[in-house]
Amino acid sequence: MALEIATLADRPDLAPLLDEDFPGAWPPFMLWDPMGAVYYGVAHQLYPEFVFAAVDSDEPERGVAKAYAVPLRWTEAELPDGGWDRVIQRATLNRLSGATPNLVSALEICIRPDRRGTGLSARMLAAMRDTVRKRGYDTLVAPVRPNGKHSQPDVPMTEYAAQVRADGLPVDPWLRVHVRAGGRIERVAPRSMVISGTLDDWRRWTGLPFDADGPVHVPGALVPVHCDLTHGHAVYVEPNVWVRHRL
């Protein structure tokens, strides 16, 4: 396999490959995060230098991985509780106001199912780090969605993120990729992504009945979804983990 990782700024012809859905990349309900469309609806046009596609010579007509990031201005002492949603909001406001970004935030690295477990996620992260550095930034941050947390939905994210192996690296595979690449875990973003909907919405998104008040364990969710029968809605507040890469 001769792998090429390129940004849309360098290879705009790769844009159609990014429209392909990678099965299992996201639980279906997560596609309804309201801030996602604010970024993904314009990413190819406004941020092509931070949109990545990976292809190999064996099947150039299909993408094997994709990644997205966004530049923004953040001067506060701590990275935000609002995580993923807040980064997209701030980047959008910065662009509208003409503010000069001072760092870049990763938003997604997604690997095609048949290529997972091959080290490709680390290569995509390395390509993102390298591109951000070449663009003149000294910092890449990431509101990381730990990909093993769904198996421990009732464990607080602070406790989960602190779990390490005997070698001192995080137990979580995706946090481990970031730490191995030089990233430093800073803090939890307790409300990184907020998805709300009616009970009918959640039934449609998940196939679950949502017929009792309280926490509902949804496949793929990192924490329980909170169901409120009286008011006819349910809310998912996903915590992520902030990782900072000094470049």
Side-chain angles (χ1 to χ4, degrees):
M1 178 180 71
L3 183 72
E4 178 185 5
I5 302 174
T7 69
L8 290 192
D10 295 326
R11 289 285 309 274
D13 59 299
L14 296 179
L17 301 184
L18 297 174
D19 293 332
E20 178 183 355
D21 289 329
F22 292 169
W26 297 93
F29 72 88
M30 293 193 68
L31 302 179
W32 295 93
D33 172 73
M35 292 305 298
V38 174
Y39 171 76
Y40 288 104
V42 298
H44 292 189
Q45 293 75 36
L46 299 185
Y47 307 110
E49 66 272 29
F50 298 111
V51 177
F52 302 79
V55 294
D56 71 50
S57 57
D58 293 333
E59 47 177 348
E61 74 287 351
R62 294 186 66 198
V64 297
K66 55 187 175 181
Y68 294 86
V70 68
L72 68 147
R73 184 164 188 82
W74 192 266
T75 57
E76 289 86 337
E78 287 191 333
L79 292 167
D81 287 347
W84 199 85
D85 284 351
R86 188 76 170 99
V87 161
I88 294 174
Q89 181 191 57
R90 177 63 66 90
T92 302
L93 292 173
N94 289 162
R95 192 172 187 93
L96 291 172
S97 66
T100 301
N102 63 342
L103 55 76
V104 175
S105 177
L107 292 175
E108 176 186 3
I109 294 178
C110 185
I111 312 300
R112 207 173 71 194
D114 61 315
R115 300 300 180 96
R116 292 171 191 163
T118 65
L120 187 49
S121 59
R123 295 180 69 175
M124 294 297 289
L125 179 58
M128 185 181 289
R129 283 171 49 103
D130 188 52
T131 295
V132 170
R133 179 182 56 79
K134 288 178 178 178
R135 291 281 175 179
Y137 297 92
D138 63 7
T139 302
L140 171 71
V141 297
V144 176
R145 184 176 197 268
N147 59 2
K149 176 66 171 67
H150 68 92
S151 65
Q152 302 181 44
D154 294 317
V155 174
M157 182 63 86
T158 51
E159 181 179 330
Y160 178 82
Q163 296 176 10
V164 295
R165 309 187 309 182
D167 60 5
L169 291 171
V171 166
D172 183 81
W174 195 207
L175 286 175
R176 193 161 61 245
V177 168
H178 278 270
V179 171
R180 277 178 170 158
R184 181 171 63 87
I185 295 174
E186 285 203 350
R187 64 189 298 259
V188 168
R191 50 179 180 84
S192 189
M193 183 181 289
V194 179
I195 302 171
S196 63
T198 67
L199 298 184
D200 282 341
D201 287 335
W202 281 99
R203 290 163 184 150
R204 185 173 66 255
W205 298 340
T206 67
L208 299 176
F210 277 85
D211 56 0
D213 282 318
V216 178
H217 290 90
V218 172
L222 305 192
V223 295
V225 177
H226 292 276
C227 176
D228 186 332
L229 293 182
T230 300
H231 298 287
H233 73 270
V235 180
Y236 175 65
V237 182
E238 177 172 293
N240 289 163
V241 179
W242 276 117
V243 177
R244 185 185 297 266
H245 295 259
R246 297 290 190 184
L247 306 177

